[in-house]
Amino acid sequence: MIEHSDALIDELRRADAIVLGLPMYNFGLPSTLKAYFDHVARAGVTFRYTEKGAVGLLTGKEVYVFSARGGLYAGTSRDTQTPYVRDILAFLGMDDIEFIYTEGLAISEASKQQGIARAHAEINQLLGSPLGREGQDQSAQAQRDKQRDEEDADLERRDRRLVAVMGARRTSELL
Ligand SMILES: Cc1cc2nc3c(=O)[nH]c(=O)nc-3n(C[C@H](O)[C@H](O)[C@H](O)COP(=O)(O)O)c2cc1C
């Protein structure tokens, strides 16, 4: 039991970025995720008590929480998941958290598609941060490569025409 807990804590310690899947089950988080938090929240290891209160020891990490729900809760008082997950992560020292919601999955096909599209838009917006810039740099490079390929192809076509003309001239000279 302690080995399992140690392994989970070790994994968290080594991570720079953490991705959590957070489905809503009966208005709360899945019992498995609660059990996970119980395994990784350990006094003196992942947090410690001070005179000023508890201090989280898992610092310097980015956390991305992907939340899936049948209904619509984000931004309402019925969303008890978000504050709980934010609190427990902050308690452990993680306060750089992004929540990405995919909601309305059980209402209708249209609301499901809308929920997925919204989540995609949120993800794309997030990709405006470092990872996205890298992606944009790559796409700019891809554009430059494409342009160079087109120029090379133009030159090749021109060379072929020149060779053809020269060849034709030579041929005509021979005639
Ligand atoms: C046991 C169970 C309970 C659920 N309870 C809720 C709920 O209270 N509110 C809600 O909006 N969706 C609820 N759902 C729907 C899920 O949040 C939704 O289907 C989500 O996509 C599940 O994610 P998963 O496929 O990763 O498990 C429930 C689903 C299951 C299986």
Side-chain angles (χ1 to χ4, degrees):
M1 178 94 161
I2 190 78
E3 290 82 11
H4 184 52
S5 166
D6 285 346
L8 294 177
I9 289 171
D10 190 47
E11 184 182 47
L12 267 182
R13 273 192 178 137
R14 282 185 287 112
D16 297 321
I18 291 147
V19 177
L20 279 185
L22 179 66
M24 180 178 278
Y25 286 171
N26 297 316
F27 305 100
L29 69 163
S31 53
T32 43
L33 186 58
K34 175 63 168 62
Y36 174 80
F37 287 138
D38 294 341
H39 273 296
V40 298
R42 205 188 307 164
V45 180
T46 53
F47 72 93
R48 66 187 168 88
Y49 291 110
T50 70
E51 281 175 9
K52 288 182 188 152
V55 175
L57 300 175
L58 296 171
T59 52
K61 298 173 191 308
E62 290 174 18
V63 187
Y64 298 89
V65 182
F66 287 87
S67 167
R69 292 146 176 203
L72 302 168
Y73 302 84
T76 75
S77 60
R78 292 170 69 223
D79 181 4
T80 56
Q81 274 188 322
T82 301
Y84 171 76
V85 170
R86 204 181 273 289
D87 279 354
I88 178 90
L89 291 173
F91 178 76
L92 298 173
M94 295 173 271
D95 51 14
D96 183 0
I97 313 167
E98 292 287 351
F99 282 85
I100 299 101
Y101 299 97
T102 311
E103 293 200 306
L105 296 175
I107 297 174
S108 66
E109 185 54 33
S111 102
K112 177 178 165 179
Q113 292 310 327
Q114 201 178 13
I116 293 171
R118 240 181 234 154
H120 282 173
E122 275 187 55
I123 292 166
N124 285 339
Q125 213 168 2
L126 279 176
L127 292 178
S129 55
L131 182 64
R133 271 200 293 281
E134 197 182 302
Q136 282 161 17
D137 287 350
Q138 280 171 6
S139 84
Q141 182 61 44
Q143 197 117 27
R144 283 195 293 275
D145 287 349
K146 190 169 166 238
Q147 199 177 344
R148 209 186 43 219
D149 286 350
E150 276 166 5
E151 283 166 9
D152 285 352
D154 272 342
L155 282 173
E156 227 170 283
R157 272 196 292 277
R158 199 198 61 177
D159 284 352
R160 268 202 304 274
R161 273 201 306 274
L162 273 174
V163 169
V165 169
M166 283 162 71
R169 191 174 296 150
R170 264 187 243 123
T171 312
S172 63
E173 279 167 7
L174 282 173
L175 284 174

